[in-house]
């Protein structure tokens, strides 16, 4: 596709986006293998910050995507749909801070916070002198994703990760091959333990889960009797899980597992 993290980041920064480079500085990395494929790749991107959605649309145009019938297409092999919404475990609407393009630390606000213009966010508002909020829909992944098999689900929701998973238990999680989410001490992680979520994914949905190690290519097993309370670290980290029903994905993650 000739799209790399570096080319993507360059396009976003050209529009004035405030971008973090990520743990591995992957926003500067061009070392991605480009492979030809005839398989149609379909992706759904859910983003509540309207200015970020506009950034993504401009970056897709720069990468050669065309907007056709509510989706972005690249040579009839990649189909990306953008959804302006907050994902969670309920359906409705909420208020979301109108932050500057490229910010990623916003969170859904109560109506009272929106009315009082209370600035309680780490990120920068689009206009810091006049903080404002947008009304955006709240959806569950179960309510929005089609009923076909799903390869992967990646969640980075500034602390809303566990409730997004809860809103995907009925239809999405049972059809997944790979699940990745962020874990730390912010948002809903203040009241939901990693241990309880791992136990549920393991015993009820058949997932092997791993904590990503500091090098990025080492995984620490959390499931199937390997849990230890020392993993409840409440620090910025990522957890990746493979469905045991999919031998390839499970074997792939096991190949990176640390052997004690």
């Amino acid at each position: 596709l000739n799209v790399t993290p570096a080319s993507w980041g360059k396009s976003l920064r050209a529009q004035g986006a405030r971008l973090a480079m990520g743990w591995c500085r992957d926003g500067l990395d061009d070392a991605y293998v480009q492979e030809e494929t005839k398989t149609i790749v379909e992706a759904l991107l859910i983003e509540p910050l309207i200015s970020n959605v506009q950034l993504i649309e401009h970056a897709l145009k720069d990468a050669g995507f065309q907007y056709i019938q509510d989706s972005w297409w690249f040579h009839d092999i990649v189909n990306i749909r953008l959804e302006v919404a907050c994902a969670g475990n309920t359906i409705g609407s909420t208020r979301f801070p109108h932050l500057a393009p490229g910010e990623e630390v916003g969170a859904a606000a109560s109506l009272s916070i929106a009315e009082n213009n209370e600035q309680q966010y780490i990120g920068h508002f689009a206009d810091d002198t006049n903080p404002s909020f947008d009304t955006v829909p709240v959806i569950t992944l179960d309510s929005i994703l089609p009923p076909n098999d799903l390869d992967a689900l990646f969640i980075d929701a500034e602390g809303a990760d566990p409730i997004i998973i809860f809103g995907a238990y009925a239809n999405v999680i049972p059809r997944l091959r790979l699940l990745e989410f962020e874990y730390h001490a912010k948002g809903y992680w203040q009241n939901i333990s990693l241990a309880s979520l791992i136990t549920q994914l393991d015993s009820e949905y058949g997932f092997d889960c791993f904590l990503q190690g500091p090098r990025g290519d080492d995984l620490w097993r959390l499931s199937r009797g390997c849990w230890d309370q020392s993993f409840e670290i409440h620090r910025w980290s990522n957890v990746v899980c493979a469905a045991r029903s999919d031998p390839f994905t499970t074997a792939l993650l096991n190949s990176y597992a640390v052997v004690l």
Side-chain angles (χ1 to χ4, degrees), residues 62-90:
D62 288 346
F65 282 75
Q66 292 184 316
Y67 189 70
I68 303 173
Q69 296 182 345
D70 299 327
S71 295
W72 290 90
W73 284 88
F74 185 88
H75 295 319
D76 295 329
I77 59 172
V78 179
N79 174 20
I80 297 179
R81 183 161 62 96
L82 296 176
E83 192 77 25
V84 180
C86 283
N89 61 344
T90 60

Side-chain angles (χ1 to χ4, degrees), residues 1-7 24-35:
L1 302 179
N2 199 30
V3 179
T4 68
S7 64
C24 300
R25 307 286 292 177
D26 51 2
L28 301 176
D29 187 8
D30 266 318
Y32 273 56
V33 176
Q34 304 297 320
E35 296 182 354

Side-chain angles (χ1 to χ4, degrees), residues 47-52 85-87 94-109 119-125 132-133 136 156-161 164 182 184 186-188 236:
E47 167 61 50
L49 183 54
I50 295 175
S51 58
N52 278 351
C86 283
T94 189
R95 306 283 281 177
F96 199 85
H98 190 77
L99 300 179
E103 289 288 354
E104 59 170 339
V105 293
Q119 188 170 348
Q120 61 171 19
Y121 303 96
I122 301 172
H124 294 270
F125 280 84
S132 61
F133 293 77
V136 297
D156 184 349
E158 309 308 317
D161 305 58
I164 292 174
E182 195 173 49
H184 43 73
K186 305 292 185 181
Y188 288 91
W236 294 99

Side-chain angles (χ1 to χ4, degrees), residues 160-200:
D161 305 58
I163 66 163
I164 292 174
I165 294 173
F166 297 160
Y169 272 156
N171 300 314
V172 172
I173 298 297
R175 295 185 284 119
L176 273 183
R177 298 171 60 195
L178 182 74
L179 167 67
E180 185 175 11
F181 57 90
E182 195 173 49
Y183 165 67
H184 43 73
K186 305 292 185 181
Y188 288 91
W189 287 119
Q190 297 178 64
N191 301 310
I192 299 174
S193 70
L194 179 61
S196 64
L197 184 59
I198 295 301
T199 298
Q200 196 166 29

Side-chain angles (χ1 to χ4, degrees), residues 3-252:
V3 179
T4 68
S7 64
W8 183 261
K10 180 179 179 181
S11 177
L12 294 179
R13 283 190 293 274
Q15 302 169 63
R18 302 168 57 90
L19 297 180
M21 285 297 100
W23 179 264
C24 300
R25 307 286 292 177
D26 51 2
L28 301 176
D29 187 8
D30 266 318
Y32 273 56
V33 176
Q34 304 297 320
E35 296 182 354
E36 293 187 4
T37 177
K38 295 186 181 300
T39 302
I40 294 179
V41 178
E42 296 180 299
L44 171 65
L45 304 182
I46 301 173
E47 167 61 50
L49 183 54
I50 295 175
S51 58
N52 278 351
V53 172
Q54 293 170 343
L55 282 177
I56 294 170
E57 289 176 336
H58 282 292
L60 289 172
K61 288 180 182 178
D62 288 346
F65 282 75
Q66 292 184 316
Y67 189 70
I68 303 173
Q69 296 182 345
D70 299 327
S71 295
W72 290 90
W73 284 88
F74 185 88
H75 295 319
D76 295 329
I77 59 172
V78 179
N79 174 20
I80 297 179
R81 183 161 62 96
L82 296 176
E83 192 77 25
V84 180
C86 283
N89 61 344
T90 60
I91 296 175
S93 64
T94 189
R95 306 283 281 177
F96 199 85
H98 190 77
L99 300 179
E103 289 288 354
E104 59 170 339
V105 293
S110 67
L111 184 59
S112 60
I113 292 176
E115 289 173 342
N116 295 332
N117 284 334
E118 181 179 336
Q119 188 170 348
Q120 61 171 19
Y121 303 96
I122 301 172
H124 294 270
F125 280 84
D127 182 359
D128 282 331
T129 64
N130 183 29
S132 61
F133 293 77
D134 299 309
T135 300
V136 297
V138 177
I139 53 93
T140 68
L141 297 184
D142 278 339
S143 69
I144 199 171
L145 287 173
N148 51 295
D149 290 338
L150 302 169
D151 288 319
L153 171 62
F154 302 99
I155 306 174
D156 184 349
E158 309 308 317
D161 305 58
I163 66 163
I164 292 174
I165 294 173
F166 297 160
Y169 272 156
N171 300 314
V172 172
I173 298 297
R175 295 185 284 119
L176 273 183
R177 298 171 60 195
L178 182 74
L179 167 67
E180 185 175 11
F181 57 90
E182 195 173 49
Y183 165 67
H184 43 73
K186 305 292 185 181
Y188 288 91
W189 287 119
Q190 297 178 64
N191 301 310
I192 299 174
S193 70
L194 179 61
S196 64
L197 184 59
I198 295 301
T199 298
Q200 196 166 29
L201 288 169
D202 179 8
S203 62
E204 297 183 30
Y205 297 94
F207 278 84
D208 282 349
C209 294
F210 303 80
L211 186 70
Q212 184 175 327
R215 296 200 313 268
D217 61 351
D218 53 335
L219 301 177
W220 297 78
R221 184 184 296 278
L222 303 176
S223 322
R224 291 205 278 181
C226 295
W227 175 262
D228 187 274
Q229 192 57 30
S230 62
F231 290 128
E232 200 77 66
I233 55 177
H234 289 289
R235 296 178 184 173
W236 294 99
S237 49
N238 289 290
V239 176
V240 60
C241 306
R244 290 193 287 271
S245 60
D246 184 73
F248 174 80
T249 307
T250 303
L252 178 63

